[in-house]
Amino acid sequence: MARFTLPRDIYHGSGSLSELRSLRGKKAVICVGGGSMKRFGFLDRAIDYLKEAGMEVRLIENIEPDPSVDTVIRGAKIMQDFGPDWIIAMGGGSPIDAAKAMWIRYEYPDISFEEMCKVFGLPPLRGKARFCAIPSTSGTATEVTAFAVITDNARGIKYPLADFEITPDIAIVDPDLAQTMPPKLAAHTGMDALTHAVEAFVSTAHQTFTDPLALHAMSIIRDHLAVSCKGDKAGRNAMHEAQCLAGMAFTNALLGIVHSMAHKTGAAFADLGAHIIHGAANAMYLPKVIAFNAKEPEAAHRYAFIADYLHLGGGSEGEKIQALIAFIRSMNDELHIPQCIRHYGSDGLPAEQGFIPEEIFRARLHTIAVNAVADACTGSNPRPVSVDEMERLLLCCYSDTDVDF
């Protein structure tokens, strides 16, 4: 038996933020990030709408990118003291993901982080609060998914939380918020969305209800991502809906080892002064993973189907897969995303020598590979992967060498 779960209500289109005034409750907490929602006036607007709904409002602000376990504990304590019956998470994927984890801890104050990470093993939520997610970036789609990613800074590892319990009750997908993204963020989040759609389509858990969502998301991204990054308003609007479609697909079809690798490399080199930004990691790794997974016949067939659907050309199945890989690499070039870790600069842009020296990468390679194989996303990858194969794959992603195994 398969399951297909989404928020009960998804409000979308310009001005849909105003739906906050239709919520019913006494207290609401708003979780936000570094200030863009306040700077552009959306936070004040949200507060006003909630007050119109008759609610007392408290803020949890300054949630950092790649939110940490410490941030989750801090926010949950504020919730426990305030007692909200609505949790409103607003901004990029980080504040929404953090708010999901805070929600778990708010409802179950004694739960450990390890218990929270048990895949599809959470106790029932909504005993204290319901959850509304409002994205300002066009990539993670966490507003419609059963997932969140939290960073354990002590270990330098990103942990995905996975359970249908943390699927938001309401998603407000208002493209007005996405107009504030700088070009680099639009590029990285857009490639994250493309990866979601591709991985969902070839996942071992793909299903009749997820395939159309994934394919249509890819088509919109093909047509609108590049112009969105140049500030085109219609392109931004289209990408905001495309990433949500991709999220609807992957929250039900799950993902694969592109995300396993991105989760486990993202914070692994933080001591060198930078993270590998999640969307950029996906963009770099996706072509290599396609080449690896295409050794599995069913995955090869579905990659070729994507190439046909996107009109990328190619006669044989192999040619179509190569056309898909070439398309993704061309998108990386157009969006100024490096093709490999060796050339990943500390600002996320291509560099002749990136911030991760090869000797340090190799020294940490085995641990990263072990953690990536153990990641929650690995189980639904279309081709099984061993630790040795993961090490070889990661080396290909470091140096941009061909995957021939």
Side-chain angles (χ1 to χ4, degrees):
M1 181 183 75
R3 178 174 175 174
F4 187 82
T5 300
L6 296 174
R8 179 177 180 227
D9 295 300
I10 300 173
Y11 298 99
H12 58 100
S14 180
S16 54
L17 182 64
S18 64
E19 283 299 324
L20 284 174
R21 61 188 168 203
S22 70
L23 301 186
R24 294 293 173 260
K26 295 180 179 179
K27 293 181 178 181
V29 65
I30 302 179
C31 302
V32 291
S36 65
M37 291 297 93
K38 179 183 289 186
R39 197 162 55 249
F40 292 104
F42 294 111
L43 178 58
D44 286 341
R45 205 178 303 173
I47 293 170
D48 289 343
Y49 288 143
L50 291 167
K51 287 182 176 178
E52 279 186 55
M55 284 195 247
E56 182 183 352
V57 181
R58 183 165 295 182
L59 302 181
I60 298 175
E61 299 184 86
N62 301 313
I63 296 172
E64 76 276 23
D66 303 306
S68 68
V69 177
D70 290 341
T71 294
V72 169
I73 293 171
R74 173 181 66 85
K77 178 65 167 60
I78 293 171
M79 291 181 186
Q80 288 156 16
D81 292 341
F82 181 55
D85 41 27
W86 275 103
I87 298 168
I88 314 295
M90 187 177 189
S94 293
I96 298 175
D97 280 5
K100 287 180 176 181
M102 293 172 192
W103 183 23
I104 300 167
R105 185 93 176 195
Y106 169 48
E107 301 244 355
Y108 296 94
D110 296 327
I111 196 169
S112 68
F113 184 64
E114 290 72 20
E115 291 171 315
M116 290 167 62
C117 292
K118 185 178 179 181
V119 177
F120 294 99
L122 288 177
L125 298 180
R126 296 168 180 80
K128 294 181 180 178
R130 286 182 289 169
F131 195 99
C132 174
I134 309 167
S136 65
T137 59
S138 303
T140 69
T142 188
E143 74 275 4
V144 294
T145 75
F147 304 104
V149 179
I150 303 299
T151 301
D152 184 338
N153 287 326
R155 299 181 182 179
I157 296 176
K158 295 183 179 182
Y159 289 96
L161 310 184
D163 198 291
F164 287 118
E165 286 295 325
I166 59 172
T167 303
D169 297 282
I170 293 175
I172 296 178
V173 187
D174 189 333
D176 294 350
L177 280 68
Q179 298 294 333
T180 65
M181 285 190 296
K184 187 175 78 171
L185 181 58
H188 289 163
T189 56
M191 291 303 290
D192 189 19
L194 179 62
T195 306
H196 290 156
V198 172
E199 289 210 289
F201 190 74
V202 301
S203 155
T204 58
H206 76 83
Q207 52 173 285
T208 302
F209 296 103
T210 59
D211 285 351
L213 294 166
L215 289 169
H216 191 46
M218 291 181 227
S219 178
I220 296 173
I221 294 167
R222 175 201 61 195
D223 294 341
H224 294 282
L225 177 54
V227 295
S228 167
C229 295
K230 296 174 183 175
D232 179 79
K233 183 174 182 179
R236 286 286 173 95
N237 291 355
M239 281 300 303
H240 210 47
E241 297 202 339
Q243 64 88 31
C244 189
L245 293 173
M248 293 180 198
F250 90 78
T251 191
N252 292 285
L254 307 179
L255 293 166
I257 59 172
V258 177
H259 273 77
S260 302
M261 295 157 66
H263 291 153
K264 288 351 186 207
T265 55
F269 305 97
D271 59 310
L272 302 182
H275 280 62
I276 301 178
I277 298 168
H278 181 71
N282 285 338
M284 292 188 296
Y285 305 163
L286 181 57
K288 304 303 183 190
V289 170
I290 291 174
F292 175 80
N293 284 341
K295 304 295 192 296
E296 199 282 323
E298 175 62 16
H301 174 72
R302 294 184 73 81
Y303 287 132
F305 189 97
I306 293 172
D308 282 340
Y309 188 83
L310 298 180
H311 307 291
L312 301 179
S316 67
E317 187 171 83
E319 288 173 350
K320 292 174 183 179
I321 294 168
Q322 288 305 310
L324 176 59
I325 290 172
F327 163 71
I328 295 165
R329 290 177 65 89
S330 70
M331 290 287 287
N332 288 346
D333 286 338
E334 186 170 7
L335 300 175
H336 307 293
I337 296 173
Q339 298 290 358
C340 65
I341 299 170
R342 183 193 297 276
H343 299 308
Y344 182 90
S346 59
D347 57 357
L349 294 171
E352 184 61 31
Q353 176 57 57
F355 77 92
I356 305 172
E358 183 172 355
E359 61 272 19
I360 293 179
F361 184 82
R362 286 182 176 273
R364 301 181 188 182
L365 176 61
H366 179 71
T367 299
I368 294 170
V370 169
N371 290 333
V373 169
D375 187 88
C377 293
T378 300
S380 47
N381 193 67
R383 179 183 171 188
V385 60
S386 66
V387 171
D388 178 68
E389 288 169 331
M390 181 62 77
E391 288 187 21
R392 295 170 68 188
L393 190 54
L394 284 162
L395 284 171
C396 291
C397 291
Y398 183 84
S399 300
D400 194 18
T401 50
D402 290 338
V403 177
D404 58 2
F405 54 94

